[in-house]
Amino acid sequence: MTKALIVIDVQNDFCPHGALAVSGGDEIIEGINALMNDAEAVVLTQDWHPAGHSSFASSHTDKAPYDLIDMPYGDQMLWPDHCIIGSTGARFHTDLHRDRADLVIRKGYNPQIDSYSAFFENDQTTPTGLEGYLKSRGISELVMVGLALDFCVNFSAVDAAKLGFDVTVKTDLCRAIDLNGSLESAMSGMQSAKVKLA
Ligand code: VGL
Ligand code: ZN
């Protein structure tokens, strides 16, 4: 089997001092760099939002970060402004060996739709192109790591499993946001989708 390492959103805004800091987000980078040697392909994802993105609480009146709103495609959690295109916060953490990437896939650039998953936007239908890239390279096995375990890693892993990839999430090389039980439901959702948790 040809294997790819998929590194989700190891960006400054998800690391300590970032706009949407995930606790311990920078602790996983050394281990992720080491794993890059074990895969035939390395894909990095980058959360990449225009200013005023619809997933930002600041884009709505009377809303605060972590409120839920109803979007045409379903529930959407609102976030602090983060990963704005071209900003320092959107850059990969400097310790990440980003020069090792075969492909960088950016997501969340559509102002009206958020995109947690590396495969589909949150409408669950608009593809990012990653499936085609991996399948045309003959890649069937994915190892996923990164930030945040309960949001972008979770959505990416479940979509990948539904698309027929053999998916393993290395949870020790992930960190979670863990809001209102989001970590627990992500773990059970990944298990039901036949994602391997290692
Ligand atoms: C993420 C919330 C908003 C993530 C991205 O990378 O998990 N979470 N945008
Ligand atoms: Zn985002």
Side-chain angles (χ1 to χ4, degrees):
M1 275 204 290
T2 308
K3 183 164 82 181
L5 175 67
I6 314 286
V7 181
I8 306 288
D9 299 0
V10 179
Q11 293 166 259
N12 291 327
D13 271 342
F14 298 121
C15 288
H17 314 295
L20 180 36
V22 181
S23 177
D26 55 345
E27 296 166 1
I28 61 177
I29 299 173
E30 211 179 289
I32 292 174
N33 287 337
L35 266 191
M36 290 179 179
N37 298 318
D38 296 346
E40 280 78 35
V42 175
V43 176
L44 307 181
T45 71
Q46 194 169 24
D47 210 42
W48 196 248
H49 300 305
H53 191 259
S54 57
S55 75
F56 298 165
S58 65
S59 306
H60 305 266
T61 38
D62 299 328
K63 293 291 171 198
Y66 315 111
D67 283 350
L68 275 180
I69 59 162
D70 191 25
M71 293 289 267
Y73 54 82
D75 278 355
Q76 170 69 49
M77 182 167 285
L78 295 176
W79 303 103
D81 292 19
H82 65 280
C83 296
I84 292 176
I85 294 174
S87 67
T88 305
R91 287 193 202 136
F92 292 114
H93 190 288
T94 45
D95 293 343
L96 184 71
H97 289 173
R98 57 204 179 282
D99 291 353
R100 298 287 304 276
D102 296 39
L103 177 75
V104 173
I105 191 117
R106 289 174 168 162
K107 60 184 180 61
Y109 45 72
N110 181 338
Q112 305 303 335
I113 312 181
D114 205 3
S115 188
Y116 295 148
S117 165
F119 292 92
F120 296 100
E121 295 185 352
N122 284 7
D123 62 4
Q124 311 260 297
T125 45
T126 310
T128 62
L130 182 57
E131 178 191 9
Y133 176 84
L134 295 170
K135 290 190 174 164
S136 62
R137 282 197 56 183
I139 291 164
S140 53
E141 186 183 348
L142 306 181
V143 173
M144 285 196 193
V145 295
L147 305 170
L149 176 57
D150 42 348
F151 287 91
C152 290
V153 175
N154 167 37
F155 278 72
S156 299
V158 168
D159 279 350
K162 283 186 195 156
L163 292 169
F165 293 99
D166 174 316
V167 191
T168 302
V169 171
K170 284 199 181 285
T171 54
D172 56 329
L173 294 179
C174 296
R175 292 292 183 274
I177 297 175
D178 202 9
L179 276 173
N180 308 320
S182 58
L183 179 57
E184 210 177 285
S185 66
M187 296 300 272
S188 62
M190 287 191 285
Q191 255 153 353
S192 347
K194 303 280 186 282
V195 170
K196 296 172 191 160
L197 299 170

